[in-house]
Amino acid sequence: MIASKQYKPHYGRAIVEQLAADLQKEFPGISGFSTGNLWRMRAFFENYGNSQKLAPMVRELAWSHNIIIMEKCKDELEREFYIRTTRKFGWSKNVLIHQIENQTYEKSLLGQTNFGKTLTLKLRNQAKLAIKDEYTFGFLELSNKHSEKELENALILRIENFLQAMGGSFAFVGRQFRLEIAGEEFFIDLLLFHRKLKSLVAIELKIGKFLPEYVGKMQFYLAALNDRFREQGENAPIGIILCKDKNRTIVEYALQDSKKPIGVATYSIRKTLPKELQKQLPKPQDISNLLETI
């Protein structure tokens, strides 16, 4: 009714305030009929009333979660992403707010990987959304000049926060995971398992900028994991090279001929995405296709 009357917050405030008072009088003891909430109900109706895709989804979330997504997200695709992920992972209000402020949507779409040519069609989109372009570890208490060992120790010390920052579907397998090959020892910094992808995920931590030779080392690790540690029913292992900084063009060339599924990401404790990367987001239809896999 409020929407059909075309009331605007400035001009219709007195009318909606009276409506709120009438509703509270009609239904004593039932909360939720404040003036502010009635305006939110109108906005909710206008945003989702004619959306055949999102209307069924929002019914599965609490009202408070829907309000956060509606008010903090700027378009329908972004809202769809957070509706799907909140529904899947059971995020609390605080976690949802953190994920939105941390720009998880944008960072999930900008990831630099070679999954398009190294993974099956069935796994491709899921893997693209599982590996972000940047991970924000705001819970770390590290100086700017930390070592790779200090970074690893800090992540393990706050393992729950770390796995949450990685995306919610990861399980911890081990640190400094030992590989013995031809009588020599090699160690993977962190080894995780992605439950939905059913894949081991090897993570190499680098405190400097990305270098092309890191890809060769990761390919070696993935080949060994695939040959010696991959269990029956699991998919091929995936690698994440996690650096302090990277040049996107150099990453593209480094991954171009790689035959193993590898993603290159950065880590930081900041929450904002550089403005120049906003223009590199995929096309709306490509985004929509990706979201169908969540």
Side-chain angles (χ1 to χ4, degrees):
M1 183 191 72
I2 296 171
S4 66
K5 296 292 185 181
Q6 296 296 303
Y7 291 141
K8 296 181 179 180
H10 178 69
Y11 298 105
R13 176 156 294 279
I15 298 172
V16 177
E17 285 178 350
Q18 183 60 53
L19 176 59
D22 292 342
L23 286 169
Q24 290 172 45
K25 183 178 179 180
E26 183 72 19
F27 303 102
I30 298 179
S31 61
F33 293 121
S34 66
T35 303
N37 235 12
L38 291 187
W39 286 119
R40 292 188 186 98
M41 291 175 193
R42 188 192 82 156
F44 188 81
F45 168 75
E46 291 177 336
N47 278 289
Y48 299 123
N50 294 318
S51 177
Q52 293 184 348
K53 178 185 282 189
L54 297 189
M57 295 184 192
V58 296
R59 297 170 190 166
E60 299 181 35
L61 299 186
W63 175 246
S64 57
H65 287 71
N66 277 313
I67 294 303
I68 291 168
I69 292 171
M70 184 178 69
E71 294 182 347
K72 288 184 174 290
C73 298
K74 57 185 177 294
D75 61 45
E76 187 166 301
L77 286 171
E78 184 179 5
R79 286 171 180 160
E80 181 182 350
F81 174 84
Y82 288 111
I83 290 169
R84 286 180 180 272
T85 49
T86 298
R87 184 179 61 175
K88 177 180 178 180
F89 298 120
W91 285 342
S92 67
K93 288 191 297 182
N94 288 339
V95 170
L96 173 59
I97 292 170
H98 172 76
Q99 295 289 348
I100 295 174
E101 292 179 346
N102 193 32
Q103 297 181 286
T104 298
Y105 170 70
E106 292 88 344
K107 291 173 183 177
S108 296
L109 296 176
L110 285 167
Q112 282 193 285
T113 71
N114 62 357
F115 296 162
K117 58 184 180 182
T118 58
L119 292 176
T120 64
L121 182 62
K122 180 180 179 181
L123 294 174
R124 196 173 299 163
N125 285 344
Q126 292 180 13
K128 284 181 179 179
L129 287 172
I131 311 301
K132 300 178 189 175
D133 187 64
E134 179 185 274
Y135 294 91
T136 302
F137 302 139
F139 54 86
L140 297 183
E141 298 176 359
L142 291 172
S143 65
N144 290 330
K145 295 184 178 181
H146 56 269
S147 67
E148 289 171 2
K149 194 66 176 178
E150 288 173 329
L151 173 61
E152 179 186 321
N153 288 336
L155 292 175
I156 295 301
L157 188 63
R158 304 290 295 277
I159 188 66
E160 185 177 349
N161 301 80
F162 169 55
L163 294 176
Q164 187 179 86
M166 290 298 293
S169 286
F170 289 92
F172 179 71
V173 177
R175 63 183 297 191
Q176 292 300 307
F177 189 83
R178 179 177 172 274
L179 300 172
E180 184 177 346
I181 301 170
E184 295 188 45
E185 291 183 323
F186 302 89
F187 297 90
I188 300 173
D189 289 339
L190 298 171
L191 187 63
L192 307 180
F193 185 81
H194 195 280
R195 291 172 293 166
K196 187 168 185 178
L197 293 172
K198 292 183 173 58
S199 297
L200 289 168
V201 180
I203 300 178
E204 275 291 282
L205 303 173
K206 302 297 180 183
I207 60 172
K209 66 179 181 180
F210 170 81
L211 297 176
E213 51 261 41
Y214 295 159
V215 173
K217 185 178 181 182
M218 180 58 77
Q219 288 192 122
F220 171 77
Y221 286 157
L222 295 179
L225 286 172
N226 187 67
D227 186 52
R228 302 187 178 207
F229 294 96
R230 177 180 172 185
E231 297 286 349
Q232 186 175 2
E234 292 181 357
N235 293 307
I238 293 171
I240 302 176
I241 302 170
L242 196 56
C243 307
K244 186 65 177 174
D245 192 21
K246 68 175 180 178
N247 179 288
R248 299 185 70 84
T249 303
I250 292 175
V251 171
E252 288 174 11
Y253 278 120
L255 293 178
Q256 195 170 81
D257 294 324
S258 173
K259 299 296 190 292
K260 300 295 183 184
I262 298 172
V264 178
T266 58
Y267 73 90
S268 74
I269 59 173
R270 61 188 171 89
K271 294 185 177 181
T272 56
L273 190 74
K275 290 183 179 179
E276 61 269 20
L277 292 186
Q278 295 279 1
K279 300 176 182 178
Q280 298 186 30
L281 290 172
K283 296 178 181 178
Q285 185 57 51
D286 294 332
I287 296 175
S288 183
N289 292 337
L290 281 171
L291 298 184
E292 292 290 342
T293 66
I294 295 180

